């Protein structure tokens, strides 16, 4: 450690960040088992055991929120997670370097815009009275669609806007993995008469599969996090039935209604489920090709 002390010093700020903002706050988890009182504080409040969890699992609204969270998360895995992989494969096939860089730059830009700003842009684009999308819908002779107030369309808006915001930035890791593939494999395949599509599916995709699996494990671990920032800036009471997720539910009950102990129980439940999913995913993928795809 002394030999590499300079590197450890550089690492120290990141370690301190995780200690103070991720590990120290874990002490607050005991609120899930207490009847919180402002006068007595976190550690002085009375213990109530599993009372908040009984309330949690006995609430009909919680199961609706849980269902929305899982459905939106599965949509994200099926579409948002896969999109950067496809985008990276397509970018890799571009031979014009300047055009490739232009496409990459344009695709990265939405990632650097906060969901507060993106939410406003999406609301204007989808506005039933002045939005560009509904303008073309009306030109085709159809009635305008209230995308952000419709239970049938809101989840679709979430997924499409999430792909737009994340596809470029998410492709960076896959492009880096593709750059590490030995070019001799492509030359050999070309000599054997393989087409570009055959090389993409027989060489490129299998070569980046370990990276895909590792990122999939991370994605699966966050399945209970369905995207608070995006949903909070786009949803409204008319779409709570399909859009209200655990994070927005915790925000309303905990911060708005000041029910801290109950929402701590909800958050603890969510994180325990995510932890179990990460462990299971790592065990299952670790059985593939003698642990080549295992995270740890």
């Amino acid at each position: 450690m002394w030999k590499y002390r300079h590197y450890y010093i550089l690492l120290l700020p990141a370690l301190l960040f995780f200690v103070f903002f991720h590990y120290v706050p874990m002490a607050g988890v005991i609120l899930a088992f207490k009847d919180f009182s402002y006068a007595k504080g976190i550690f002085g409040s009375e213990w109530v055991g599993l009372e908040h969890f009984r309330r949690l699992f006995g609430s009909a609204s919680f199961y609706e929120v849980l269902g929305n969270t899982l459905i939106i998360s599965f949509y994200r895995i099926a579409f948002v997670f896969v999109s950067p992989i496809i985008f990276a494969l397509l970018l890799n096939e571009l031979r014009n370097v300047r055009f490739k860089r232009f496409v990459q730059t344009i695709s990265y830009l939405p990632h650097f815009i906060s969901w507060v700003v993106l939410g406003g842009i999406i609301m204007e684009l989808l506005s039933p009275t002045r939005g560009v999308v509904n303008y073309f819908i009306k030109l085709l002779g159809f009635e305008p669609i209230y995308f952000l107030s419709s239970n049938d369309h809101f989840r679709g808006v979430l997924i499409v806007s999430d792909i737009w915001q994340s596809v470029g930035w998410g492709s960076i890791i896959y492009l880096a993995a593709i750059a590490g593939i030995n070019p001799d494999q492509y030359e050999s395949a070309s000599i054997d008469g393989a087409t570009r599509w055959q090389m993409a599916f027989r060489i490129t995709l299998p070569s980046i599969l370990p990276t895909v699996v590792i990122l999939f494990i991370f994605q699966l671990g966050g399945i209970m996090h369905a995207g608070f920032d995006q949903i909070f800036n786009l949803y409204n009471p008319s779409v709570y039935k399909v859009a209200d997720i655990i994070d927005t539910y915790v925000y309303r009950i905990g911060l708005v209604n000041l029910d801290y102990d109950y929402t701590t129980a909800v958050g603890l439940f969510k994180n325990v489920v995510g932890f179990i999913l990460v462990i299971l995913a790592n065990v299952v993928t670790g059985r593939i090709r003698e642990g080549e795809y295992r995270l740890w």
Side-chain angles (χ1 to χ4, degrees):
M1 289 184 65
W2 181 252
K3 180 180 179 181
Y4 298 103
R5 62 188 180 278
H6 302 98
Y7 298 106
Y8 285 111
I9 292 174
L10 290 174
L11 185 63
L12 187 60
L15 292 176
L16 291 175
F17 170 80
F18 280 99
V19 169
F20 287 108
F21 291 98
H22 289 268
Y23 287 96
V24 172
M26 285 184 183
V29 167
I30 63 173
L31 267 182
F33 307 97
K34 290 194 169 192
D35 182 14
F36 178 65
S37 168
Y38 291 97
K40 298 179 181 178
I42 296 177
F43 299 101
S45 299
E46 300 294 330
W47 291 94
V48 293
L50 300 177
E51 180 62 33
H52 297 305
F53 293 95
R54 295 189 188 97
R55 175 186 168 191
L56 173 67
F57 295 118
S59 171
S61 60
F62 172 73
Y63 289 101
E64 182 179 278
V65 168
L66 178 61
N68 290 337
T69 303
L70 294 176
I71 290 172
I72 293 174
S73 293
F74 280 124
Y75 282 166
R76 291 184 189 278
I77 292 175
F79 299 103
V80 181
F81 176 76
V82 174
S83 297
I85 302 173
I86 298 173
F87 186 64
L89 292 174
L90 294 175
L91 277 179
N92 187 55
E93 297 303 316
L94 292 178
R95 290 293 165 260
N96 189 318
V97 177
R98 296 183 67 178
F99 179 69
K100 181 179 179 179
R101 289 176 179 173
F102 172 77
V103 172
Q104 284 180 286
T105 302
I106 294 299
S107 66
Y108 294 163
L109 288 178
H111 173 79
F112 298 99
I113 305 175
S114 71
W115 273 114
V116 176
V117 178
L118 285 178
I121 294 173
I122 293 169
M123 287 179 185
E124 287 299 315
L125 290 175
L126 300 180
S127 171
T129 56
R130 59 183 181 275
V132 174
V133 176
N134 273 303
Y135 174 76
F136 285 106
I137 290 175
K138 286 185 282 188
L139 281 180
L140 295 173
F142 298 101
E143 292 295 322
I145 300 173
Y146 291 76
F147 288 98
L148 298 179
S149 300
S150 169
N151 290 334
D152 296 327
H153 297 92
F154 188 82
R155 287 174 180 167
V157 172
L158 286 181
I159 300 305
V160 172
S161 59
D162 197 10
I163 292 174
W164 171 50
Q165 194 261 356
S166 62
V167 65
W169 186 258
S171 67
I172 292 177
I173 296 178
Y174 301 113
L175 288 171
I178 292 172
I181 300 174
N182 190 342
D184 293 342
Q185 297 184 57
Y186 294 107
E187 293 178 8
S188 300
S190 180
I191 293 172
D192 291 337
T195 63
R196 296 300 305 178
W197 284 109
Q198 288 175 326
M199 285 188 278
F201 286 100
R202 300 294 180 86
I203 298 175
T204 308
L205 194 56
S207 297
I208 67 173
L209 194 57
T211 303
V212 173
V213 172
I214 289 173
L215 293 178
F216 175 75
I217 294 175
F218 288 137
Q219 184 78 13
L220 197 60
I223 201 171
M224 303 297 284
H225 305 273
F228 172 80
D229 291 342
Q230 180 191 17
I231 294 176
F232 182 76
N233 285 286
L234 291 176
Y235 84 153
N236 56 79
S238 62
V239 291
Y240 277 178
K241 184 177 180 181
V242 298
D244 198 19
I245 59 172
I246 291 178
D247 289 336
T248 54
Y249 177 74
V250 167
Y251 168 80
R252 286 202 319 277
I253 303 299
L255 294 182
V256 178
N257 297 343
L258 305 181
D259 198 350
Y260 298 124
D261 42 19
Y262 173 67
T263 50
T264 301
V266 177
L268 180 59
F269 165 77
K270 181 186 72 171
N271 291 323
V272 168
V273 172
F275 175 74
I276 293 173
L277 287 174
V278 168
I279 298 297
L280 290 177
N282 188 66
V283 171
V284 172
T285 55
R287 297 181 183 276
I288 304 174
R289 297 180 62 174
E290 299 181 356
E292 182 180 343
Y293 299 153
R294 186 178 296 221
L295 187 59
W296 69 84

